[in-house]
Amino acid sequence: MTDVLDISEVVRRTGLTSRALRFYEARGLVAPLRTNSGRRLYGSGELERLSQIVALKRAGLTLAQIQ
């Protein structure tokens, strides 16, 4: 996938909230690209990482352990 998605599309596709995505970014778990105006853009690497985070959380790991 070479396309990038904005935060609203990532929310729609993953079921995560925009607040959770911003929190994961603040914790250093994902690093979306930023436009000049500051909008977050998620590529395939970030989407894969979000999938890993969700799977590891379901397995019982904390965000500190995932980090």
Side-chain angles (χ1 to χ4, degrees):
M1 178 174 135
T2 59
D3 294 333
V4 292
L5 306 173
D6 67 10
I7 196 168
S8 64
E9 183 63 19
V10 174
V11 165
R12 189 184 73 73
R13 290 186 184 198
T14 65
L16 296 168
T17 64
S18 59
R19 184 176 176 177
L21 294 171
R22 289 189 299 269
F23 182 73
Y24 294 162
E25 181 183 1
R27 295 286 302 260
L29 296 170
V30 292
L33 300 172
R34 291 290 188 123
T35 65
N36 289 339
S37 63
R39 290 182 54 201
R40 292 165 176 85
L41 298 175
Y42 294 81
S44 60
E46 289 80 25
L47 294 176
E48 178 62 30
R49 181 65 177 149
L50 289 170
S51 177
Q52 291 171 349
I53 292 167
V54 170
L56 292 170
K57 283 187 61 161
R58 284 188 183 145
L61 276 72
T62 66
L63 289 180
Q65 291 170 318
I66 294 169
Q67 200 170 17

